[in-house]
Structures are given as structure tokens and as C-alpha cells.
Amino acid sequence: MGASIRLGRIRGVVVGLHWSVLGILVLIVAGLGATTLPEAVDGYRPGEYWGAAVRTGIVFLGSILAHEVSHALVALRNGVRG
């Protein structure tokens, strides 16, 4: 997995967070909080835009985790060992 932060195991599969995912998270949050959300929806305070951007980033990371864990579980079911 390379340079990553180990988060634990799910059914024997090592779960880690690669440093590049954190960079992507920063880009998503910054893009949403600074420009996209304020331009798309008027009338909120800056903190509310940034809060929504952070929540969106967390949901995005959760979806990546679910996607990758599903790959691992299908591989295990089909007898692939790492």
C-alpha cells in the first residue's frame, strides 16, 4: 500500500489511508468552501460554507472507503489472498 496511515482491519483486510487522499480532501474542501458553494448558494455565513465543504469531503472519503473495501471483500470471496 506504500506510505499510508494504518487504520485497522476489516475481515482480515488491512485498511489504510494514503497521504495522497488527504491532499485530495484538502483540494475538495478548499474548492467547495472558497468558491463553489458561495457562488452556487447565496446568503450564508463563510463558516457555514466551510462546514458544508468539510462534511462533503468526509462523505466523499467514506464513499471511497466503502468502494475499496467492497473490492477487497469480493476478492476474498473469490479466493484471492494478499
Side-chain angles (χ1 to χ4, degrees), residues 12-80:
V13 176
V14 176
V15 177
L17 182 65
H18 193 268
W19 65 267
S20 64
V21 174
L22 297 176
I24 292 168
L25 176 65
V26 168
L27 291 174
I28 288 172
V29 170
L32 287 173
T35 57
T36 305
L37 291 176
E39 290 174 2
V41 183
D42 291 332
Y44 291 96
R45 295 185 307 256
E48 293 173 308
Y49 292 121
W50 285 99
V54 168
R55 288 189 298 276
T56 301
I58 290 169
V59 169
F60 177 72
L61 289 183
S63 69
I64 291 173
L65 176 63
H67 175 87
E68 295 303 328
V69 167
S70 68
H71 281 295
L73 294 177
V74 168
L76 288 173
R77 187 180 68 200
N78 289 309
V80 177

